[in-house]
Amino acid sequence: FVDDLLAELRHGFQTGIQVLRTISQQGKNLRSGGRSPTVVAQLWREEVDSGFLLDPYDISPFPLSRVSPLSVVFGKYSDKPCLILDLSCSHGDPLVPSINDLIDRNAYSMVYAALDQAIQRILITGCDTFLCKCDIASAFKLLPIRRSLVPYYGCFWAGQYYFFQRLPFGGCSSSRIVDCLSRALVWILRTNYADAYCLHLLDDFLT
């Protein structure tokens, strides 16, 4: 596990795409992006400046690529905007599988921590225990994807092509990949800092 994780952090994660199309495809953006053009433009700039996206291109630099529909979603509590690729879109053609259709969902399925587990730990440690909740900021964007897969995680906005070089939201394998990093951090907390009660839900931690 450790060797695989370190290798993928260095060289990029395999997102599970099994069969690649031999023709390029481009989908139309969802309406949520068009309703917030200023927000989307600002997010693009931030993503490019942070190295999460390649610099924009007027023409796709890849001979074979997949450009998926873009949407923007606002956090339920924070109201923070987030760009999401619709990687389940078939581009209106039932014969054209989406990126998520090309990924074995069973291979990337996972079981999440339950509320009962958190309650059990609170009961064990007692009423005088302090609880701490924290999360990994931009966890998805910390994880690179394989360079060979970058052409299949593209989107189109304001006449330019953008390609993700970090793990995008919207992929059916993304949560499992992030969970690998989180499990490693939990192991470090338990082994090096004697935190026997740490729980995690994707990039959120309770200890």
Side-chain angles (χ1 to χ4, degrees), residues 85-123:
L85 286 183
D86 183 4
L87 296 172
S88 295
C89 177
S90 63
H91 303 279
D93 185 345
L95 299 179
V96 178
S98 69
I99 291 296
N100 282 340
D101 288 334
L102 300 175
I103 298 173
D104 182 358
R105 294 175 184 268
N106 291 328
Y108 288 90
S109 63
M110 56 181 293
V111 177
Y112 294 98
L115 179 61
D116 287 347
Q117 291 175 278
I119 293 174
Q120 183 182 39
R121 283 161 171 73
I122 293 171
L123 292 175

Side-chain angles (χ1 to χ4, degrees), residues 116-126 129 190 196-199 206:
D116 287 347
Q117 291 175 278
I119 293 174
Q120 183 182 39
R121 283 161 171 73
I122 293 171
L123 292 175
I124 291 173
T125 53
T129 303
R190 290 176 177 173
Y197 302 104
C198 181
L199 281 175
L206 180 67

Side-chain angles (χ1 to χ4, degrees), residues 162-205:
Y162 295 82
F163 291 89
F164 284 82
Q165 54 184 347
R166 300 301 177 98
L167 198 65
F169 288 103
C172 66
S173 60
S174 295
S175 295
R176 178 62 180 270
I177 293 172
V178 169
D179 192 65
C180 290
L181 176 64
S182 295
R183 283 191 289 133
L185 291 176
V186 168
W187 184 89
I188 291 171
L189 289 172
R190 290 176 177 173
T191 304
N192 294 349
Y193 298 96
D195 186 348
Y197 302 104
C198 181
L199 281 175
H200 80 282
L201 182 63
L202 285 184
D203 56 348
D204 290 306
F205 295 79

Side-chain angles (χ1 to χ4, degrees), residues 135-172:
D135 64 90
I136 306 173
S138 302
F140 284 68
K141 300 169 187 176
L142 295 176
L143 304 178
I145 62 176
R146 293 281 174 88
R147 186 174 295 274
S148 61
L149 296 176
V150 168
Y152 301 98
Y153 289 93
C155 49
F156 186 77
W157 177 261
Q160 293 186 305
Y161 291 90
Y162 295 82
F163 291 89
F164 284 82
Q165 54 184 347
R166 300 301 177 98
L167 198 65
F169 288 103
C172 66

Side-chain angles (χ1 to χ4, degrees), residues 16-141:
I17 298 177
Q18 296 181 323
V19 181
L20 300 177
R21 296 285 296 180
T22 56
I23 58 174
S24 295
Q25 297 288 340
Q26 181 169 337
K28 184 178 180 181
N29 288 333
L30 304 180
R31 285 182 292 178
S32 61
R35 295 193 195 105
S36 310
T38 303
V39 172
V40 174
Q42 177 63 29
L43 287 174
W44 280 140
R45 191 67 265 157
E46 292 174 0
E47 302 276 275
V48 171
D49 290 345
S50 299
F52 303 145
L53 288 165
L54 297 180
D55 288 332
Y57 299 90
D58 295 328
I59 301 174
S60 173
F62 305 109
L64 179 63
S65 64
R66 175 64 69 89
V67 176
S68 297
L70 171 75
S71 65
V72 59
V73 175
F74 291 85
K76 183 176 180 180
Y77 301 107
S78 65
D79 203 36
K80 182 179 178 180
C82 176
L83 295 174
I84 296 181
L85 286 183
D86 183 4
L87 296 172
S88 295
C89 177
S90 63
H91 303 279
D93 185 345
L95 299 179
V96 178
S98 69
I99 291 296
N100 282 340
D101 288 334
L102 300 175
I103 298 173
D104 182 358
R105 294 175 184 268
N106 291 328
Y108 288 90
S109 63
M110 56 181 293
V111 177
Y112 294 98
L115 179 61
D116 287 347
Q117 291 175 278
I119 293 174
Q120 183 182 39
R121 283 161 171 73
I122 293 171
L123 292 175
I124 291 173
T125 53
C127 60
D128 293 328
T129 303
F130 287 98
L131 284 176
C132 175
K133 185 269 180 189
C134 56
D135 64 90
I136 306 173
S138 302
F140 284 68
K141 300 169 187 176

